[in-house]
Amino acid sequence: MRSLATKNPEQVDHLRKLAAAHFAPEFLRAALQRLSKLRGEEELAKFEREMIELVEGADGEDEADFPLLKEFAIEQLYQVIREAKESPDTKQRLEDIAKRRTSGRSEDSKTLEEQLQSGLEDSFPASDPPAVVSSTISGGKQGGKK
């Protein structure tokens, strides 16, 4: 392994930038995957808004292409956020069950059991019996020679 002690300050700075360019996207991707798994899409959206504000507020007067760097940074952010959202491990927001409940629905387990039993009895039999179907294959050999 080479030592940084043999490098001059410009070489060290160049290596530092290369390391950031190479590994930072992977660090971000892994962190966002973990965030999406633990906190879900709402937290990803919050993170996205905060990072866009950070990038847009950054000042790079000494860099001529700084506006393009910002544009590429936001593009890269959108990509890793999208990947994190599409991950099967992303925590999904729980649905508010109160919104789905029928008004007047009982919370008593005995009443619910009675309603279920009544519904099952009312729907018996659950389906019509299967129909007996026969088929013939046309074009078969007809007996006898002409």
Side-chain angles (χ1 to χ4, degrees):
M1 186 164 156
R2 293 182 168 167
S3 172
L4 287 176
T6 63
K7 303 291 183 193
N8 65 42
E10 291 83 23
Q11 291 171 323
V12 171
D13 190 48
H14 177 70
L15 288 172
R16 184 173 283 120
K17 287 179 183 176
L18 284 177
H22 184 78
F23 292 107
E26 294 306 315
F27 295 158
L28 178 61
R29 186 173 282 111
L32 289 175
Q33 293 276 331
R34 190 166 289 183
L35 179 67
S36 72
K37 184 177 182 177
L38 297 174
R39 302 297 297 255
E41 286 189 33
E42 286 180 27
E43 198 66 28
L44 284 173
K46 181 180 173 185
F47 176 81
E48 181 178 17
R49 285 189 304 274
E50 291 172 1
M51 292 302 102
I52 289 173
E53 287 176 17
L54 182 113
V55 170
E56 289 177 343
D59 186 26
E61 293 175 7
D62 55 336
E63 298 254 359
D65 291 331
F66 200 71
L68 290 174
L69 287 175
K70 290 166 62 170
E71 187 177 329
F72 283 127
I74 290 173
E75 182 180 301
Q76 189 173 31
L77 175 67
Y78 286 151
Q79 179 182 346
V80 293
I81 293 280
R82 184 177 58 250
E83 289 173 10
K85 284 180 180 178
E86 292 173 354
S87 169
D89 293 333
T90 297
K91 182 178 180 180
Q92 301 298 318
R93 202 169 129 208
L94 293 177
E95 181 180 10
D96 183 8
I97 196 155
K99 291 180 181 177
R100 293 190 63 202
R101 289 198 186 272
T102 305
S103 62
R105 180 177 183 259
S106 174
E107 294 297 323
D108 179 46
S109 62
K110 187 175 181 179
T111 304
L112 290 173
E113 186 66 33
E114 289 172 1
Q115 290 173 344
L116 173 63
Q117 190 61 37
S118 173
L120 289 172
E121 289 170 2
D122 292 346
S123 66
F124 184 80
S127 63
D128 294 333
V132 177
V133 178
S134 65
S135 63
T136 58
I137 300 173
S138 62
K141 208 176 190 184
Q142 303 276 333
K145 285 186 180 177
K146 282 193 173 183

